[in-house]
Amino acid sequence: MSDTAKTVLLVEDNEDNRTVYRTILEHFGYGVIEARNGEDGIRLAREEHPDLILMDISIPVIDGWEATRILKREEETKDIPIIALTAHALATDRMKAEEVGCDGYLAKPCEPRRVVAEVERLLGAAQGNEA
Ligand code: MN
């Protein structure tokens, strides 16, 4: 795995956002896998063990808060960094992100470069071993 690209699981129900974030992450050399709801996001996290999860909070079936809680409780997935994407820059959202165990937090609308900067803060560059 050491010289393969790091993989980001993008859990996002909005197709335009998926396209924007996938495009910039791939441009910076990250691999991207996608889920459109919380249930699929949890399943893919368990199956694929991505290096990081970008978690939209407002998603169908299981919302991003609950999906994060579940993944952070499980031995196999609890160490995967999760960045929450919330629709409002509310102080309560930031507090909730910390409470459920998110490692990072971004308020939408979020410029693609800020997403990459936050991913790099937690993962390092797309290639290589450094955390
Ligand atoms: Mn959404």
Side-chain angles (χ1 to χ4, degrees):
M1 282 298 282
S2 62
D3 53 2
T4 59
K6 291 171 184 170
T7 302
V8 174
L9 168 59
L10 176 56
V11 188
E12 165 66 83
D13 60 331
N14 181 284
E15 187 176 358
D16 291 341
N17 287 341
R18 280 202 311 275
T19 301
V20 168
Y21 297 148
R22 169 190 276 277
T23 300
I24 187 127
L25 287 166
E26 287 180 346
H27 176 76
F28 279 83
Y30 296 99
V32 178
I33 53 178
E34 295 179 357
R36 299 171 187 205
N37 64 62
E39 187 175 42
D40 286 348
I42 291 167
R43 183 178 51 78
L44 278 175
R46 288 171 178 156
E47 289 175 3
E48 304 293 332
H49 295 279
D51 295 289
L52 182 142
I53 300 170
L54 214 47
M55 181 76 80
D56 182 26
I57 292 306
S58 181
I59 46 175
V61 190
I62 297 173
D63 75 21
W65 299 130
E66 186 58 21
T68 298
R69 269 194 206 100
I70 289 168
L71 292 170
K72 288 297 185 181
R73 272 201 303 256
E74 293 183 9
E75 196 61 34
E76 281 191 29
T77 52
K78 68 179 170 58
D79 293 327
I80 303 171
I82 298 180
I83 300 171
L85 294 166
T86 76
H88 305 286
L90 299 175
T92 51
D93 278 357
R94 184 177 288 275
M95 282 162 52
K96 193 156 185 184
E98 286 177 20
E99 184 188 305
V100 301
C102 291
D103 301 274
Y105 167 93
L106 292 167
K108 289 176 166 184
C110 187
E111 284 181 26
R113 281 304 301 257
R114 286 211 51 222
V115 173
V116 171
E118 188 68 359
V119 170
E120 286 181 331
R121 181 179 75 81
L122 290 164
L123 270 194
Q127 309 283 333
N129 292 317
E130 290 158 62

